[in-house]
Amino acid sequence: MLDAVEGLGEFLEVELDVEDEKDLKSSRDQLFKFLSQFGLSETDSIRTSYLEMVLEKRN
């Protein structure tokens, strides 16, 4: 999903459903491999909520 958050900017939000936790690492690896095609890497990943970012920016 593409999100535009007023005061913060634009974000690409991705979610991955994993049925079994043992598959989590390989699923994350596949996700970041996919995202690398768009010039994004795991270091570009933000796990902070938009609300937390807005509140942090206010302070």
Side-chain angles (χ1 to χ4, degrees):
M1 174 167 285
L2 296 174
D3 294 334
V5 182
E6 187 175 329
L8 292 179
E10 296 176 339
F11 299 86
L12 173 62
E13 184 175 343
V14 293
E15 293 182 11
L16 183 63
D17 289 329
V18 178
E19 290 185 24
D20 192 329
E21 278 194 42
K22 69 181 175 93
D23 299 326
L24 187 58
K25 170 129 177 49
S26 63
S27 297
R28 282 178 50 89
D29 291 344
Q30 288 177 322
L31 176 66
F32 284 112
K33 184 177 179 181
F34 170 74
L35 291 173
S36 72
Q37 297 176 53
F38 302 98
L40 301 169
S41 71
E42 192 165 354
T43 59
D44 297 311
S45 177
I46 301 171
R47 296 189 54 114
T48 307
S49 72
Y50 297 140
L51 177 59
E52 289 173 295
M53 288 190 283
V54 167
L55 293 174
E56 185 177 298
K57 187 173 180 179
R58 286 185 182 173
N59 294 331

